[in-house]
Amino acid sequence: MKLLKFALLSAAFTYTLVPIAQAQNAQAEFANGFPIAPTGLQNLPLGDGPWEYRTGEDMNVHVELVARMQYAMAMAFTPDGALLVAGRAGKLFRIDDDKLSEVSGGPEAVMIGEAGGIGAVHGYMDIKIHPDFKTNQLIYLAYHRKDEALPAGIVSIGRGRLVGSRLEDFQLIYDSVDMNGGMRIVFGPDEKLYASMPDRDSQNLLSRGGKILRLNDDGSIPPDNPFVNRRDALPEIWSYGHRYSLGLTVRPGSEEIWQSENGPNGGDEVNIIRKGQNYGWPEVSFGRTYNGPWHSKQPKHDGYTYPEIVWIPSVATAGMTFYTGDQLDKWQGDLFIGSLRTGEVNGTGHLERVLFNSNMEELRRESLLVDLHKRIRDVVQGPDGYLYVALEDQDGGVLRIKPAK
């Protein structure tokens, strides 16, 4: 009788395991070796707002739609308070007193595929104003320039003078020759232009891929770069061992450039970019491969520069900024980072907030704007002390975060 009961229990146990394993495998569809991200939350309507939120620091905020547009990628304020917005489709916009107009005269750019899709190519990727903009009116764009030999375009940097709603005398100042992928730019405290390059051969110092570059404002190479006198390295390289960097910012009151970096399936990082240092990719990572196994057998950074912040699972980090205003006083000094999606699920982008102690060590973090289900590509602080958020979606645009009344 006991043997019969054990046999029946064993059979039931076996019967239960088989369909569960089959169901788990059946849910993950693959294309070109990558799992296809689910789309049930993707491209949901944005709505007109406004939205009211209670936040973790016991501060209510009011979020309003400043302008609606497709695929807002990056933003920059001019000294006179105009907000410039670079769009994925290769369009440049200007917002004055919440009125949207298109800026003409920008370079022709390549856009391929859906935002977030495998192999997607973005037209305009970043925009920055020159530190001496009041004198020279120079605007800098990171973009995929058109090339007959490379249909996906080439990652490049150009600049032109902003005259009202027109970009004049635009010229290419740096060209990656044969690369495409994500790119961000920022002017450092030294007024040099830093640029992130897409992942490719990140440990090879003769490749631009997976590097942070440091350039003069005209695209030439500074003589004090770390590898400038080495035959086995490109002179524009400032740091290396990066994966896919979609955010660069300067920490106010310091000489530090902070970088957000996408890991594979998990292992997103925020790094402080230091001269000549190796950040480890692809030798080390805190993430898994897209097929499931850990990328590194021992996911440590021994022998490489350690990240400041790590996300597991991935939140697909994008543009970021430190908040220094007085309108959102309980967020002073916090780092805000755009998220494109969480845990490899489309439609789960949001805004990350990270609080630090006096030594800039992370204390806690908070996810904001989760219910909008939008890819947040950039966040900047406005001259009015509010935060502005770029939504890279079909039904996207620019949001403003201010205190609730």
Side-chain angles (χ1 to χ4, degrees):
M1 183 67 181
K2 289 183 178 179
L3 288 174
L4 176 60
K5 186 181 290 186
F6 177 77
L8 288 172
L9 287 172
S10 299
F13 184 69
T14 303
Y15 175 77
T16 303
L17 281 179
V18 171
I20 289 176
Q22 289 176 346
Q24 288 173 341
N25 291 335
Q27 289 176 1
E29 297 183 14
F30 284 74
N32 300 319
F34 294 93
I36 301 172
T39 58
L41 298 174
Q42 185 175 337
N43 293 326
L44 296 180
L46 174 62
D48 297 321
W51 301 268
E52 305 288 332
Y53 296 98
R54 185 174 183 84
T55 72
E57 304 297 340
D58 195 23
M59 178 179 68
N60 296 342
V61 297
H62 174 91
V63 180
E64 55 195 19
L65 180 61
V66 178
R68 191 184 297 274
M69 69 186 73
Q70 286 189 324
Y71 304 122
M73 289 286 287
M75 302 174 292
F77 276 97
T78 64
D80 62 359
L83 177 59
L84 303 178
V85 185
R88 179 176 182 261
K91 293 184 178 181
L92 182 60
F93 300 93
R94 177 178 179 136
I95 300 175
D96 294 278
D97 297 323
D98 294 356
K99 295 180 180 178
L100 180 70
S101 61
E102 187 170 344
V103 177
S104 61
E108 192 173 7
V110 179
M111 182 184 83
I112 299 174
E114 178 68 25
I118 298 173
V121 172
H122 311 300
Y124 291 174
M125 294 174 286
D126 206 357
I127 181 170
K128 290 292 182 291
I129 67 170
H130 192 280
D132 195 21
F133 176 85
K134 288 184 178 180
T135 300
N136 57 32
Q137 289 81 50
L138 286 175
I139 298 293
Y140 288 71
L141 285 175
Y143 66 106
H144 275 101
R145 72 169 180 83
K146 286 201 167 185
D147 185 271
E148 293 183 1
L150 294 170
I154 296 175
V155 169
S156 305
I157 304 172
R159 68 179 185 180
R161 293 186 301 109
L162 182 67
V163 181
S165 289
R166 179 168 178 78
L167 204 56
E168 297 186 351
D169 305 322
F170 188 86
Q171 62 177 173
L172 176 70
I173 65 166
Y174 185 84
D175 188 67
S176 67
V177 182
D178 62 353
M179 299 193 68
N180 57 68
M183 183 186 200
R184 298 305 287 243
I185 55 177
V186 70
F187 277 98
D190 56 2
E191 298 193 355
K192 303 300 182 184
L193 184 63
Y194 293 78
S196 66
M197 299 298 289
D199 168 33
R200 188 187 304 172
D201 211 4
S202 299
Q203 291 294 318
N204 181 2
L205 290 174
L206 289 173
S207 166
R208 297 175 178 84
K211 313 299 189 299
I212 302 295
L213 311 182
R214 180 174 180 259
L215 307 169
N216 292 317
D217 66 350
D218 61 358
S220 61
I221 299 169
D224 57 342
N225 277 3
F227 305 107
V228 76
N229 293 316
R230 285 178 48 172
R231 293 184 178 181
D232 62 343
L234 296 177
E236 59 264 48
I237 293 174
W238 184 254
S239 65
Y240 65 110
H242 300 291
R243 190 173 181 268
Y244 203 65
S245 174
L246 297 180
L248 290 172
T249 194
V250 175
R251 182 167 75 88
S254 78
E255 301 295 310
E256 297 172 352
I257 294 176
W258 287 49
Q259 171 242 18
S260 70
E261 183 172 324
N262 280 223
N265 187 356
D268 292 358
E269 301 175 0
V270 166
N271 296 295
I272 300 176
I273 300 304
R274 296 185 171 92
K275 181 177 182 178
Q277 294 197 11
N278 183 352
Y279 291 77
W281 179 263
E283 302 303 321
V284 293
S285 172
F286 287 99
R288 295 181 179 274
T289 67
Y290 289 108
N291 293 324
W294 291 108
H295 178 84
S296 307
K297 291 182 179 180
Q298 292 183 330
K300 299 180 180 179
H301 277 58
D302 295 347
Y304 302 97
T305 303
Y306 210 83
E308 303 300 312
I309 308 170
V310 174
W311 280 267
I312 302 173
S314 172
V315 296
T317 54
M320 60 183 183
T321 194
F322 285 92
Y323 182 73
T324 60
D326 56 7
Q327 294 292 329
L328 302 162
D329 58 307
K330 293 189 177 181
W331 287 349
Q332 282 185 355
D334 294 355
L335 178 65
F336 289 83
I337 308 162
S339 160
L340 302 178
R341 69 182 187 189
T342 304
E344 305 303 313
V345 177
N346 289 338
T348 55
H350 58 276
L351 185 63
E352 289 275 296
R353 179 184 68 87
V354 181
L355 173 72
F356 302 91
N357 64 18
S358 59
N359 295 321
M360 295 308 295
E361 297 163 333
E362 179 189 355
L363 293 180
R364 56 180 175 263
R365 63 182 74 170
E366 180 179 11
S367 297
L368 304 164
L369 310 182
V370 175
D371 61 307
L372 298 183
H373 300 287
K374 295 298 175 182
R375 292 169 59 85
I376 294 185
R377 180 64 79 156
D378 200 12
V379 54
V380 298
Q381 180 179 318
D384 51 14
Y386 304 142
L387 282 172
Y388 290 76
V389 176
L391 307 180
E392 185 216 352
D393 246 52
Q394 290 181 4
D395 186 10
V398 175
L399 304 179
R400 177 167 47 224
I401 303 177
K402 57 198 301 187
K405 294 182 179 179

